[in-house]
Amino acid sequence: MSVSKEEGCAKTGYEKVVSFLREQLLSGRLKTGDCLLPERELSARLNVSRPVLREALRALAMIGAVEIRHGIGTVVRQPDASTLGEFFSFFLAQHTDVVDDIMEARIAIEHHAIRLACHRARQSDLDELAAALDTIAETIRDPYEGGMADHRFHQAIVRSAHSPVLVSIYESISKLAMRSHLERREKIIEVEGIDEFLIDHHRLIFSAIVAQDVQRADELLGMHFEIGAGFRRRAIMLGAAHESTQVPPTGR
């Protein structure tokens, strides 16, 4: 499929605008809250047409990088991780077997986060983890509410690391991670021993963070994911066994 000269110029112009904003932010010449140059000056400086510039700025506004304020101009914003998460979700949803990749990414992020959390967690972080623990125990038989409480606990671990980059990456995959988490929770809730595992193991992880025991916290988190995977396998086997005992209706 051939690309017209106009389309090629538009793409090049868009890349110029994005590259300019990125470089200005990285160098510190632009900060959140600053206004970009007026349209006429910016288009001349970047050597792009004003229609192309406007289109690029609208695209950047959609992901929250800038805000176009009528009568004021284009203002630099700090993108909201949830906005980026929506974009990331659409991108990843088109790839097959994305859930396994998301899980691997989540595990890697949480392992690094929990090591940092052992040193950086504040009292407010510990309070948030404790509250999530209480909710996990209270909603243990509710697949949705219990799953959400579980997700909040792990989310709180990442936030306790006080690493903006880790938090942003984690939040960007959280929608897909949460969806797969809730789907798995529905399957494993009937497996024997799941209640004790979900309550007791989260408590052990919490205690290790409070004690600032980096090695213990990291080991427990690894065990947590391994044991959880074992419960999911058992749930699949139980489901398959249940289906095999069902007698199909006799046709007449």
Side-chain angles (χ1 to χ4, degrees), residues 52-147:
V52 168
L53 175 63
R54 288 185 194 125
E55 189 63 32
L57 292 177
R58 278 196 292 268
L60 289 169
M62 287 181 68
I63 63 170
V66 298
E67 181 181 355
I68 301 170
R69 299 179 184 173
H70 296 293
I72 297 177
T74 303
V75 180
V76 177
R77 288 185 57 197
Q78 182 173 1
D80 188 334
S82 63
T83 303
L84 295 176
E86 292 288 356
F87 170 80
F88 205 51
S89 295
F90 276 110
F91 170 74
L92 288 175
Q94 298 181 49
H95 293 260
T96 57
D97 300 325
V98 70
V99 172
D100 289 338
D101 281 345
I102 289 292
M103 192 64 187
E104 290 298 325
R106 178 192 162 194
I107 291 171
I109 293 169
E110 287 193 32
H111 268 295
H112 189 52
I114 202 167
R115 291 192 289 268
L116 292 175
C118 284
H119 296 300
R120 299 181 180 179
R122 302 165 186 164
Q123 187 57 52
S124 58
D125 299 315
L126 299 180
D127 290 344
E128 186 179 356
L129 284 163
L133 264 178
D134 289 341
T135 310
I136 287 173
E138 292 164 3
T139 60
I140 195 66
R141 300 308 300 170
D142 185 322
Y144 179 79
E145 292 299 335

Side-chain angles (χ1 to χ4, degrees), residues 107-231:
I107 291 171
I109 293 169
E110 287 193 32
H111 268 295
H112 189 52
I114 202 167
R115 291 192 289 268
L116 292 175
C118 284
H119 296 300
R120 299 181 180 179
R122 302 165 186 164
Q123 187 57 52
S124 58
D125 299 315
L126 299 180
D127 290 344
E128 186 179 356
L129 284 163
L133 264 178
D134 289 341
T135 310
I136 287 173
E138 292 164 3
T139 60
I140 195 66
R141 300 308 300 170
D142 185 322
Y144 179 79
E145 292 299 335
M148 289 299 293
D150 195 325
H151 179 74
R152 282 193 294 273
F153 180 86
H154 287 267
Q155 195 174 43
I157 290 175
V158 178
R159 288 176 180 162
S160 298
H162 293 283
S163 167
V165 173
L166 278 184
V167 171
S168 294
I169 296 171
Y170 195 79
E171 290 298 323
S172 71
I173 64 171
S174 66
K175 283 188 180 293
L176 290 173
M178 185 166 56
R179 178 180 171 182
S180 65
H181 185 79
L182 292 174
E183 288 174 354
R184 290 195 303 271
R185 186 63 173 253
E186 278 194 37
K187 294 175 182 175
I188 67 173
I189 199 64
E190 299 303 326
V191 179
E192 186 180 351
I194 191 64
D195 292 14
E196 292 78 7
F197 162 67
L198 289 172
I199 296 172
D200 297 342
H201 218 262
H202 281 100
R203 281 182 177 155
L204 288 173
I205 291 171
F206 175 67
S207 296
I209 294 172
V210 172
Q212 297 184 317
D213 190 335
V214 177
Q215 184 176 346
R216 177 67 172 156
D218 195 42
E219 287 175 354
L220 282 168
L221 187 66
M223 289 169 56
H224 186 76
F225 285 119
E226 286 179 14
I227 296 170
F231 272 106

Side-chain angles (χ1 to χ4, degrees), residues 230-244:
F231 272 106
R232 288 193 292 279
R233 286 192 293 271
R234 286 165 60 188
I236 291 169
M237 290 171 62
L238 285 172
H242 178 71
E243 285 181 7
S244 68

Side-chain angles (χ1 to χ4, degrees), residues 38-51:
E39 248 184 40
R40 188 185 299 276
E41 291 180 44
L42 192 54
S43 64
R45 177 171 176 173
L46 299 178
N47 194 27
V48 298
S49 68
R50 291 179 72 176

